[in-house]
Amino acid sequence: RTVTAIFRPEVGAEVESALWHFSSELGLVVLWIGIYTMFTGVCMALLQSNAKRMLAYHSVSQMGFILAGIGAAGYLGAHGAMGYAGALFHVVNHALFKACLFLGVGAVFFRTGSLDMYKLGGLWKRMPLTFLFTLIAACGITGIPLFNGFVSKSLIHHALVEAVDLHGLASLELAEKIYVVTCGGTACSFIKLIGFVFLGMPKVEYGPEVKDAPPLMLVAMGLLSTAIIVLGLFPQVLLDGVFAPALHTWGLHSTVLTEYLEEYFLRWGDISSVVVAFAIGFTVFFVGIKTGLFHAKFPDWLSIDWWYRQLAHGMLDLFRGTSEAYEAMRTSFSETLMAVRSGYRQVWFRLERARRRLLVTLTTGAPGPRDQHLVQHAYLLLERERQAEVRYAVQKATERLREQHEHDELAWRGEIDAMREIASYVAQRLFNVRMTVVIEAVRAGHTEELGVTIDRLVAGLAKSREDVEAVARELAPARMRGVNVLREISKATNRIMSDERFDLMMLAALPRPRHAPRPAIESEAEVRRALREHAALVAYRAEGLTWLEKTGRWMTEMARLVVDGLTRERTSWALGDSLDDATVISTRRTIQRYARDMSFNIAVIALMLLAFVIALSNNV
């Protein structure tokens, strides 16, 4: 299309030669692309043992024939009608004989199940009509006279000879010789196909299923073979009826086609070229048979597949490198972001704590809330105990696995991960319950007593590590199989909490006033009530205080509780980002208790102020 349409000059004798100059140069390039393509395709086809692959490489070669004709026509300019006609004629011919050849080889595979030419032979007796039609198509593609390929190849050859005569270029003489050799290679390929598949001695013993192709297959090959013969005998159907008028409208001298049909068609000049090509073909065939040339292999770098693979590997390496660079950049950015976020949180935590301490100092004169310090201290102790329970379970699992004779790294890792996951869940539940008990005790006014006994209480929790490890060991196999063991874990955790009763341990560790009876504890509500009663006994155990002193102490304690409640640090945000359901419920209950207590305290203070105002008014 580039040679014939875009750079085609309009009809006009006065501008003809000038406008054809670019097309002439471009045609020379296209001609050599065609010569290289046809010769490379034939060489690759000669080395194939698979019949279909051989035909496929010949399709490449036949495209080279077409390009050579178009290139020669472009080089000849206005006198290139013979090259264009030969190329277009070969397009039609190739569609006919190559389709028939593929159908013939397909019929052979349909009956024998093999496409290896070296493993077949003698099929002309079993498949006579398939052999006949395949032979006709082979005659067409090799350019034997009276078949369609003879006409198109002769026209292209005439165009090459005219191109040589135009300027006498040595390169074009070489191209014409390569063209003839390529025709010989085509003849050799189909001598090999017909000889090995149909005429040679059978390499295997065929069964009764090896017979001629089904009727519909034979009809298709028969129609194509008929067209091959008709166009070979009557080429003027296309040359005079289609190509000549079209070429004339392109500004080409189409009268050369009529001269070819009258003076050159089926003359010795063209037939001699076919004889030379077949002589070359038979020579190459016998040399290839004797020397094993047909089994030679080209270097991998001559194959386009090799270049495709190299390109694919290069693209994969590029994508892999890009992906790794992106992942490294993303990881670095994430680490930087986490570091900035962590630093921001630490700064925020310190500023918030300093602000609250300043507020407490200005309002109560105290250096800091004692309750908060105790809660933070208990939090750290209980968190260490929680981590120790998880480490104990993992350590026991590792020791038990090392004592086994079999060593399966994947199974070890799976069991250890399962035990760590279960132990973490149980330990976290125990931690939440223990912290709730500590907060309840602090709210009940046991800050000073807990400050003395909290370390001893937490140290006594070490016995629960074995219970946590036992639960993790029992449920780890089911967890590794993918079973949902959350309910079993919850039951085991509740059992451990019932056996431990950290609230009772704390109540027993608190010092009691003299002659104060120890209450009967049966529920969590009773524990909270006992803690409050214990605080009240401790607070008011000093005798001899006047009513005014007791009222002043009570007012001071209320003020301290109000300031402490308003300035209590919300440490959960700084200590972790994840909140489970138990934490949310516990926090909600804590807020409800704060609201209840604060409402009660404010109501009492309001009533006291109202009574004080009434008393003053009466005095006045």
Side-chain angles (χ1 to χ4, degrees), residues 98 114 149 172 192 260 271 280 285 310 384 407 433 555:
K98 188 54 65 68
S114 176
L172 291 178
K192 176 182 173 182
Y260 168 78
I271 295 176
I280 295 173
F285 178 75
Q310 298 303 313
R384 291 171 185 170
H407 180 78
V433 172
M555 294 290 291

Side-chain angles (χ1 to χ4, degrees), residues 586-607:
S586 176
T587 305
R588 185 183 297 119
R589 291 177 178 174
T590 303
I591 294 173
Q592 291 173 352
R593 287 194 293 269
Y594 272 126
R596 180 193 62 199
D597 296 343
M598 291 298 299
S599 300
F600 175 76
N601 294 334
I602 293 174
V604 172
I605 294 173
L607 290 175

Side-chain angles (χ1 to χ4, degrees), residues 138-152:
C139 292
I141 194 172
T142 53
I144 292 179
L146 304 181
F147 297 92
N148 60 350
F150 170 76
V151 180
S152 58

Side-chain angles (χ1 to χ4, degrees), residues 124-274:
W124 72 275
K125 295 180 180 180
R126 296 294 188 106
M127 308 176 69
L129 292 178
T130 302
F131 164 65
L132 175 62
F133 296 143
T134 305
L135 181 62
I136 292 174
C139 292
I141 194 172
T142 53
I144 292 179
L146 304 181
F147 297 92
N148 60 350
F150 170 76
V151 180
S152 58
K153 286 190 172 185
S154 297
L155 288 171
I156 295 172
H157 188 233
H158 277 289
L160 289 174
V161 172
E162 288 185 12
V164 173
D165 295 339
L166 183 62
H167 294 107
L169 294 178
S171 60
L172 291 178
E173 293 182 3
L174 177 61
E176 189 268 338
K177 298 298 187 296
I178 296 175
Y179 180 87
V180 175
V181 172
T182 303
C183 291
T186 304
C188 176
S189 297
F190 287 93
I191 292 171
K192 176 182 173 182
L193 174 68
I194 298 299
F196 283 155
V197 175
F198 292 101
L199 299 180
M201 296 296 296
K203 309 302 187 300
V204 294
E205 184 177 352
Y206 300 118
E209 72 280 359
V210 180
K211 56 184 178 181
D212 224 333
L216 289 179
M217 292 185 181
L218 295 175
V219 169
M221 289 187 287
L223 292 175
L224 293 170
S225 300
T226 301
I228 292 171
I229 296 175
V230 168
L231 290 180
L233 294 175
F234 306 102
Q236 59 269 23
V237 174
L238 289 179
L239 292 179
D240 288 340
V242 179
F243 298 145
L247 294 175
H248 179 71
T249 61
W250 285 354
L252 301 175
H253 303 302
S254 59
T255 55
V256 295
L257 300 180
T258 303
E259 296 176 0
Y260 168 78
L261 292 174
E262 293 177 354
E263 300 179 9
Y264 297 102
F265 178 57
L266 294 179
R267 297 298 190 273
W268 172 248
D270 291 340
I271 295 176
S272 63
S273 299
V274 177

Side-chain angles (χ1 to χ4, degrees), residues 431-445:
F431 170 82
N432 294 337
V433 172
R434 293 163 182 169
M435 278 301 302
T436 302
V437 173
V438 171
I439 294 173
E440 289 289 345
V442 171
R443 287 180 53 80

